[in-house]
Amino acid sequence: MVKKRAKKRTEDYKKQIGQIPGALIYTGKKSDKDFHVECFDYTKDNIEESVILNIEDTANYKETDSVTWINVDGLKYTDQIENIGKQYNLHPLVLEDIVNTTQRPKIDEYEDYLFVVLKMLYYDNDENIVIEQVSFVLGKNYVITFQESEGDVFGTIRERLRLANGRIRGLKSDYLMYALIDAVVDNYFSIIEILGNKIEDLETELFEGHARENINVEVQQLKREILKVRRAIFPLREIINRIEKGEHPLIYKRTITYYRDIYDHLIQVSENIDIYREMIWSLMDMYMTTISNKMNEVMKVLTIMASIFIPLTFLAGIYGMNFEYIPELKYRYGYFVLLGVMVIIFVGLLFYFKRKKWL
């Protein structure tokens, strides 16, 4: 399985070697899901929710007085992605980064739009962390999001738009992108909480001395999950910091405060990740200590048994020699005396070890 994953990563990298800059090469996992584009076009008083079947229709929302959120699912359909790029005059390198799912979280500033890439994290049905790339294109009155497949953490944003909850329907597209990014960051907390619970359960199990045989595998798996989460989250701080301290005309001053709140959340998440990372290393040390203690217990028992039988073996060895003249051999009760001495030595050593608390 490890070799297959390594081979898959190698093949993905080879696809990009020597390609023309701006070439659209999908590097993610092939999905059987159809290409799907949903649209939320809204003002403070009205909202229109629809599914876009003709990609050319997306251009109708480029220059309107309303705010539009276009969500695109299906990055493997590169022709459709390229078509959307033509409708909104997106740079070829932007389109290349959209379909390259190995892209590091980043932000690129252009004259008419902002391009942001980040990682969306969630657990699948098998409790494995799924890392999905989400790309944002922020324009004057629109936000376009690109996802690898259907299913995301934006359900609450959709409901807020439909029900006009909060201030989202009354503000511009920069606030809409803030709300979407904030939903992704809020979901980081649930991921971190689940990881923390797993680490604490393993720590309790190791501390109580009830460690299972394959617990080291679970510790290693948690270690890999922490590293994956760390790689996905840490670069986002730089992105939000640039938005907060930048002066791009698409980001209004009244929205900067909200982005600053996201940055505070990311700092908190990052601190928790660092703490859990240290706890994982401590779990490895605790596991090795537990194994060592178990080995020491076994060695202690074996040493005590050997210590008990050393004098008994010594006596048996003396009277097992084939010398003709051994005084005690002619004694009528010598055998029983020797057995009695052995029993006394055995009981005496047990009592001594017990007083020393070695048993």
Side-chain angles (χ1 to χ4, degrees):
M1 182 63 69
V2 176
K3 290 182 178 179
K4 288 183 178 179
R5 289 198 298 264
K7 183 178 180 181
K8 176 64 170 58
R9 288 194 297 266
T10 303
E11 290 175 352
D12 290 340
Y13 290 132
K14 286 183 178 179
K15 291 179 183 178
Q16 305 171 54
I17 297 176
Q19 295 293 332
I20 301 172
L24 273 65
I25 301 175
Y26 175 62
T27 59
K29 297 179 181 179
K30 299 296 183 182
S31 174
D32 296 331
K33 300 292 184 180
D34 295 331
F35 187 73
H36 180 77
V37 180
E38 62 177 339
C39 176
F40 290 84
D41 185 64
Y42 62 90
T43 62
K44 185 175 182 180
D45 301 318
N46 299 299
I47 183 171
E48 178 183 346
E49 181 179 353
S50 61
V51 175
I52 298 178
L53 301 177
N54 189 358
I55 295 300
E56 282 71 18
D57 293 341
T58 58
N60 298 333
Y61 301 99
K62 186 177 180 181
E63 299 291 342
T64 61
D65 295 331
S66 58
V67 178
T68 306
W69 173 27
I70 299 175
N71 183 55
V72 179
D73 295 325
L75 299 185
K76 75 172 184 177
Y77 300 93
T78 55
D79 292 340
Q80 302 282 27
I81 301 296
E82 186 175 15
N83 200 347
I84 294 176
K86 291 178 180 178
Q87 304 298 325
Y88 284 83
N89 300 320
L90 301 182
H91 196 280
L93 293 179
V94 170
L95 299 177
E96 179 185 359
D97 289 339
I98 288 174
V99 298
N100 178 15
T101 57
T102 61
Q103 178 62 53
R104 184 179 185 271
K106 57 179 287 189
I107 179 172
D108 290 332
E109 299 183 16
Y110 294 86
E111 184 178 354
D112 299 327
Y113 59 89
L114 280 177
F115 174 62
V116 176
V117 178
L118 52 81
K119 302 297 182 180
M120 179 171 60
L121 309 179
Y122 56 89
Y123 276 98
D124 60 13
N125 295 330
D126 297 327
E127 294 189 356
N128 296 319
I129 290 183
V130 177
I131 301 179
E132 182 178 343
Q133 179 169 299
V134 182
S135 303
F136 298 81
V137 176
L138 170 65
K140 182 179 180 181
N141 60 340
Y142 64 85
V143 174
I144 308 176
T145 54
F146 297 88
Q147 302 183 52
E148 192 167 358
S149 60
E150 292 186 48
D152 51 42
V153 298
F154 301 141
T156 56
I157 306 302
R158 294 182 177 92
E159 288 302 312
R160 285 167 59 187
L161 288 172
R162 292 171 183 142
L163 303 176
N165 289 339
R167 56 181 63 87
I168 190 169
R169 289 257 296 266
L171 296 177
K172 298 294 183 178
S173 57
D174 60 333
Y175 185 87
L176 173 61
M177 189 174 76
Y178 150 75
L180 295 171
I181 295 177
D182 186 58
V184 173
V185 174
D186 285 344
N187 198 61
Y188 290 164
F189 282 98
S190 63
I191 297 294
I192 294 300
E193 183 178 358
I194 293 174
L195 285 175
N197 292 336
K198 288 183 178 181
I199 293 173
E200 290 174 1
D201 291 343
L202 288 177
E203 187 178 42
T204 301
E205 189 174 341
L206 285 171
F207 184 77
E208 293 178 350
H210 304 306
R212 289 165 278 115
E213 291 184 1
N214 63 338
I215 196 170
N216 60 322
V217 178
E218 295 185 29
V219 173
Q220 287 290 347
Q221 183 177 354
L222 274 176
K223 178 183 174 183
R224 287 195 296 268
E225 289 183 354
I226 286 289
L227 292 176
K228 287 167 62 176
V229 171
R230 190 176 188 273
R231 284 196 298 266
I233 292 178
F234 268 56
L236 187 54
R237 294 190 302 179
E238 178 185 347
I239 295 173
I240 301 302
N241 189 46
R242 283 185 57 182
I243 293 176
E244 178 189 347
K245 296 183 178 180
E247 297 181 354
H248 199 282
L250 291 175
I251 305 295
Y252 295 93
K253 290 184 178 180
R254 63 174 177 268
T255 316
I256 293 297
T257 303
Y258 299 107
Y259 283 98
R260 188 176 299 122
D261 183 63
I262 292 180
Y263 187 80
D264 293 338
H265 289 170
L266 288 172
I267 292 297
Q268 183 178 350
V269 171
S270 300
E271 290 176 350
N272 288 335
I273 290 175
D274 287 337
I275 292 173
Y276 292 148
R277 190 183 180 193
E278 292 297 326
M279 291 177 67
I280 285 292
W281 285 109
S282 298
L283 283 180
M284 291 298 296
D285 293 339
M286 189 181 298
Y287 172 74
M288 297 305 298
T289 302
T290 302
I291 296 299
S292 178
N293 289 339
K294 287 184 178 180
M295 182 62 68
N296 290 339
E297 288 294 327
V298 173
M299 294 303 298
K300 184 174 69 174
V301 172
L302 294 178
T303 302
I304 290 174
M305 295 299 296
S307 300
I308 290 174
F309 279 95
I310 284 174
L312 304 184
T313 305
F314 175 73
L315 293 176
I318 289 178
Y319 291 101
M321 292 187 294
N322 293 323
F323 290 107
E324 182 177 355
Y325 299 103
I326 297 179
E328 291 81 4
L329 293 180
K330 302 297 183 180
Y331 183 58
R332 181 176 181 180
Y333 301 105
Y335 172 74
F336 302 102
V337 171
L338 181 61
L339 286 181
V341 171
M342 287 183 174
V343 170
I344 291 173
I345 292 174
F346 178 79
V347 174
L349 287 175
L350 286 179
F351 179 74
Y352 177 76
F353 292 147
K354 194 73 174 178
R355 287 194 61 183
K356 289 290 187 177
K357 296 181 179 180
W358 293 349
L359 282 176

